[in-house]
Amino acid sequence: MRFTTRPAPPLDNLAELRAEIDRIDAEMHALLIQRGSIIDRLIAVKRTSASGSAFRPGREASMMRRVAERHRGLLPLDTVEGIWRVIIATFTWVQAPFSVHADVSGGDAPMRDSARFHFGFTVPYRPHPTCAAVIEAVAASRGDLGIFRLDPDGSAPPSPEAPWWEGLVGEGRPKVIARLPFIERPTHPAGTPVFVVANPLDDPAAAQRDWVLHAARLESWTPESARALQDLYGEVVARAAVTDGHRLLIAVPGGVGGRQLRKTLERAGARVESLDEIGSHAARFRV
């Protein structure tokens, strides 16, 4: 077998290509600086008008979807998504500094990976031993976020305490504002599904309501109830092991109201003690 080698490109061509790369790098840096100057103006506007959280989960989800749809070429989507997430999260932090609190009761590594991929290294990462501790840390903050891992089997670990989502019930309590990752794929480097919670957003229009989440307490749950939920295109996202009934975290499309959900379940034989909306998130975008 004969091996042949390609002749090296002329040095002048290499120099031209490297110069072109340097030019592109400088332009990207200049654009980041320009973006920062716009954020400065945005901060000035917010100080003179409405104050509050800088999070815009619906806008972020739309931005990430556009990134995935227009991407092409040799650079992996993982890298592009990671760069955009760092840019978005860091500029949000510049507007209003915040920390990310994580429940690490199921292990720190996947939660740290998720936090660093989606929020970068500038945003402080705060691990906590329980979901309840995360929720209380967020509730006591001015604008922090909390993240909770969703178990693959959809069940919360057995506990004598109420499931974590019941800590979001009530006016003024933290609520789910996003589900990560925004772009789902089997090989995602930070693909652990997590919910993001925050104190109620000052601007309700900033929330994305493709999917709405409800904390449900039920005395009984039947196969007919499960089928009725499926007929609404809803799903049980998580369930907690309890001895006195059923504790479910239910997701339904944004067009399904709480009253409609309750009536549908009760007609199917479920005995509903309480049903409380605890947040919403954008539809998942799969690649």
Side-chain angles (χ1 to χ4, degrees):
M1 180 180 295
R2 296 180 60 187
F3 294 92
T4 59
T5 57
R6 296 181 179 179
L11 291 180
D12 57 343
N13 286 352
L14 278 177
E16 290 175 4
L17 292 173
R18 288 168 179 163
E20 185 70 3
I21 289 173
D22 290 342
R23 180 189 64 78
I24 293 171
D25 288 346
E27 288 185 2
M28 289 192 298
H29 191 189
L31 288 172
L32 287 175
I33 294 172
Q34 184 178 348
R35 195 182 198 277
S37 68
I38 295 174
I39 296 298
D40 279 339
R41 291 157 55 192
L42 184 63
I43 293 172
V45 169
K46 286 189 174 183
R47 284 175 179 169
T48 57
S49 57
S51 62
S53 174
F55 300 116
R56 293 295 180 269
R59 175 171 165 76
E60 288 189 24
S62 297
M63 291 171 67
M64 297 313 303
R65 179 168 186 157
R66 291 197 298 270
V67 166
E69 288 175 336
R70 70 178 177 238
H71 182 63
R72 63 184 185 277
L74 297 176
L75 192 63
L77 179 58
D78 295 344
T79 304
V80 176
E81 183 186 1
I83 291 171
W84 247 260
R85 287 303 312 155
V86 169
I87 290 172
I88 294 170
T90 303
F91 277 116
T92 301
W93 178 85
V94 168
Q95 292 182 62
F98 66 95
S99 297
V100 174
H101 302 268
D103 165 40
V104 298
S105 58
D108 179 68
M111 301 305 290
R112 185 178 292 270
D113 286 349
S114 181
R116 291 311 185 201
F117 184 90
H118 292 101
F119 301 101
F121 285 85
T122 302
V123 177
Y125 171 77
R126 313 290 189 199
H128 295 269
T130 66
C131 296
V134 170
I135 292 173
E136 294 313 313
V138 171
S141 74
R142 296 187 62 183
D144 288 357
L145 299 179
I147 55 176
F148 304 105
R149 178 177 180 170
L150 296 178
D151 289 327
D153 63 356
S155 63
S159 171
E161 301 178 355
W164 67 261
W165 52 87
E166 293 190 354
L168 308 179
V169 173
E171 186 176 354
R173 294 293 292 168
K175 296 290 184 283
V176 173
I177 64 168
R179 175 171 172 155
L180 300 176
F182 287 122
I183 306 172
E184 294 188 348
R185 53 194 179 278
T187 59
H188 198 293
T192 300
V194 300
F195 278 139
V196 182
V197 302
N199 284 320
L201 300 177
D202 289 345
D203 179 10
Q208 187 74 21
R209 295 180 62 83
D210 294 339
W211 288 93
V212 177
L213 299 168
H214 297 267
R217 287 190 171 202
L218 306 103
E219 294 181 8
S220 63
W221 180 255
T222 65
E224 291 77 13
S225 305
R227 286 193 291 272
L229 179 61
Q230 291 175 353
D231 289 341
L232 293 176
Y233 299 97
E235 63 175 331
V236 175
V237 179
R239 61 181 73 238
V242 294
T243 57
D244 60 342
H246 302 266
R247 302 290 185 270
L248 306 180
L249 178 58
I250 294 175
V252 292
V256 177
R259 182 177 299 179
Q260 178 186 0
L261 173 61
R262 183 172 191 137
K263 287 184 177 180
T264 299
L265 295 179
E266 289 178 340
R267 281 198 299 265
R271 297 181 62 186
V272 181
E273 294 181 22
S274 62
L275 189 68
D276 299 279
E277 183 178 322
I278 59 163
S280 62
H281 63 82
R284 290 129 68 186
F285 182 62
R286 292 183 174 89
V287 175

